Amino acid sequence: DKGKGAAVVADKEAATAKHSALQRPPQHNQQHRLPATATGFFTERTDLTILFVAKDFSRFSRLVDRLRREQDVELVPAATGAAGLEQLKGKRLDLVIVDEQLDDMSGIEFVKQLVKVNPLANTAIVGSLEDEAFHEATEGLGVLMQLPARPDEKDGEALLAVLAKIAVLMQPAAPR
């Protein structure tokens, strides 16, 4: 039974490592730095808080690694839609990334519930719908983009670029 015990310990260590990847301190990168003067969702600060709702974070290691390289990024994990909605209470979030299917609801259903609580939330859904079907399913929900089932660093770059554009648009107009 030594082999079984070692396998259980290895499984627990792997699960802990997956969860701790979301919790480790960020490394610094200035590539898509959000403007400090942005208003609205990005208010006079440069840190980025991302709620990440998924039942299995192992598929997202490359995306998480890329997001972690941004300066002052806090990733807040939630394993279910209900837990994700609970995380929204009293917390200012810059982005919500949600998996296509959670244990208690679909990613699209989560976003529908999210916009009732925070209609201006920036969201991205991990999914596999064709472009037209995705557009129809998320129309009116303010979803920024659909990420592939196994998002990688370039998907993280694209997501950060969209957030940077939004931050620029939210900046106050220069006085004339």
Side-chain angles (χ1 to χ4, degrees):
D1 281 334
K2 274 188 177 179
K4 258 188 182 176
V8 169
V9 169
D11 287 346
K12 285 182 181 177
E13 287 173 354
T16 301
K18 287 176 193 173
H19 188 267
S20 68
L22 288 173
Q23 299 298 329
R24 73 175 180 260
Q27 298 171 356
H28 298 291
N29 180 354
Q30 298 291 325
Q31 191 164 1
H32 288 290
R33 185 84 171 161
L34 298 173
T37 58
T39 60
F41 224 55
F42 307 99
T43 56
E44 298 302 321
R45 56 194 221 28
T46 56
D47 57 320
L48 189 65
T49 303
I50 302 172
L51 173 62
F52 203 135
V53 188
K55 59 183 176 181
D56 175 16
F57 291 100
S58 65
R59 294 187 293 127
F60 306 110
S61 61
R62 292 173 63 197
L63 174 65
V64 167
D65 287 347
R66 174 58 193 97
L67 296 174
R68 278 271 169 224
R69 287 198 308 265
E70 286 300 299
Q71 185 168 356
D72 299 323
V73 169
E74 177 188 5
L75 287 173
V76 180
T80 65
L85 292 168
E86 186 65 30
Q87 286 285 352
L88 295 168
K89 293 181 180 174
K91 203 171 215 152
R92 188 212 42 80
L93 297 167
D94 299 299
L95 175 65
V96 178
I97 300 172
V98 61
D99 202 354
E100 183 171 31
Q101 186 60 52
L102 307 169
D103 283 339
D104 54 350
M105 64 185 76
S106 72
I108 291 172
E109 181 57 36
F110 174 84
V111 173
K112 286 178 180 178
Q113 291 185 33
L114 168 66
V115 297
K116 291 176 185 176
V117 178
N118 186 345
L120 300 178
N122 293 311
T123 58
I125 298 178
V126 176
S128 56
L129 294 174
E130 295 293 326
D131 288 345
E132 190 172 319
F134 178 77
H135 175 74
E136 282 193 33
T138 61
E139 189 169 11
L141 298 178
V143 176
L144 299 177
M145 65 191 307
Q146 177 177 228
L147 295 167
R150 291 193 173 275
D152 60 19
E153 291 196 8
K154 72 176 173 53
D155 299 310
E157 289 287 329
L159 186 54
L160 290 167
V162 170
L163 286 174
K165 287 178 186 175
I166 290 170
V168 168
L169 292 173
M170 298 300 291
Q171 287 184 4
R176 291 182 178 198

